[in-house]
Amino acid sequence: MKISMAGGFQDDPLPSSTRMTVTNDNVARVFRWEEDAEINVRVLGSEVVIEANAAGLRTLAGHLLTLAQDGTPDGTHLHLDPDSGLAEESASLVLERDDER
């Protein structure tokens, strides 16, 4: 998994159930994957479809809430792909905080 926290990257394989803490500007961010989470991202023409079981939806919701925490720097993002917990046939997905919009 590649987690970018305002310029720094951490590369680690992501098991199916984990808690990852990333620190930036002396503020810790915890990204958790629920056990049995299944997430598949498909691109269909101009649409992106995210298919997930309940554990996968809670995992994604948790990632988004982590990025939304006060003090999280603009541009902080999380790269998700089949090597970091998404389904094998999944397209990659980037969740990014953008306070400029």
Side-chain angles (χ1 to χ4, degrees):
M1 166 181 283
K2 290 184 191 278
I3 296 179
S4 173
M5 299 294 285
F9 287 97
Q10 177 175 341
D11 292 324
D12 288 316
L14 186 65
S16 62
S17 176
T18 191
R19 173 186 163 172
M20 177 180 281
T21 303
V22 179
T23 303
N24 182 36
D25 295 335
N26 296 320
V27 178
R29 298 289 180 264
V30 178
F31 293 92
R32 292 184 176 89
W33 279 80
E34 288 202 14
E35 191 170 338
D36 299 324
E38 295 179 15
I39 305 166
N40 184 41
V41 179
R42 296 185 296 137
V43 179
L44 302 173
S46 63
E47 294 183 328
V48 175
V49 178
I50 299 174
E51 302 167 324
N53 63 4
L57 291 171
R58 286 189 299 270
T59 294
L60 286 173
H63 292 346
L64 293 170
L65 287 170
T66 298
L67 289 170
Q69 290 177 353
D70 289 341
T72 299
D74 183 48
T76 299
H77 56 280
L78 179 65
H79 290 256
L80 302 172
D81 58 36
D83 292 331
S84 65
L86 297 184
E88 187 174 311
E89 67 278 4
S90 182
S92 296
L93 178 66
V94 177
L95 304 175
E96 181 172 352
R97 181 173 179 143
D98 182 357
D99 293 326
E100 300 299 317
R101 296 201 178 261

